[in-house]
């Protein structure tokens, strides 16, 4: 009886550690993704693409495919693939 109880406690601890690791790793990756700086070459490329598309003032976000620019006034989204 004691061996089964100890086994269940070990299984519970391992599952808890795996869950905690997955949650912590996800938060770290999201935080690192948000804090990446845009390089000068990327700024030049973004300005060129947005001028070519006649985009108004917008906020730029880094995404998995490149960048996303959302206009302030209209809410129009421009996707810039890198």
């Amino acid at each position: 009886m004691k061996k089964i109880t100890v086994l269940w406690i070990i299984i519970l601890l391992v599952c808890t550690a795996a869950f905690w690791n997955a949650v912590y790793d996800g938060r770290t990756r999201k935080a690192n993704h948000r804090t990446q700086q845009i390089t000068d070459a990327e700024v030049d490329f973004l300005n060129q693409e947005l001028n070519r598309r006649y985009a108004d003032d917008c906020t730029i976000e880094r995404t998995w495919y490149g960048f996303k620019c959302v206009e302030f006034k209209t809410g129009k989204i421009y996707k810039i693939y890198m």
Side-chain angles (χ1 to χ4, degrees):
M1 186 72 172
K2 281 194 169 206
K3 290 182 181 181
I4 292 175
T5 306
V6 172
L7 181 64
W8 278 111
I9 291 173
I10 291 172
I11 290 172
L12 182 65
L13 289 174
V14 168
C15 290
T16 303
F19 175 75
W20 184 258
N21 186 29
V23 169
Y24 177 74
D25 187 41
R27 288 182 184 163
T28 304
R29 269 190 274 135
K30 286 179 185 175
N32 289 341
H33 183 71
R34 277 182 289 202
T35 58
Q36 289 179 348
Q37 297 294 320
I38 298 176
T39 64
D40 290 338
E42 289 173 331
V43 169
D44 293 339
F45 178 74
L46 289 170
N47 283 333
Q48 181 183 8
E49 282 294 309
L50 293 173
N51 286 338
R52 184 177 66 80
R53 298 178 189 190
Y54 300 107
D56 201 6
D57 289 337
C58 58
T59 58
I60 297 175
E61 297 177 29
R62 187 182 296 272
T63 60
W64 63 270
Y65 55 79
F67 294 94
K68 176 176 79 170
C69 178
V70 182
E71 281 189 351
F72 290 123
K73 296 177 185 175
T74 62
K76 187 173 180 179
I77 297 174
Y78 297 94
K79 293 182 178 181
I80 302 169
Y81 297 94
M82 303 279 295

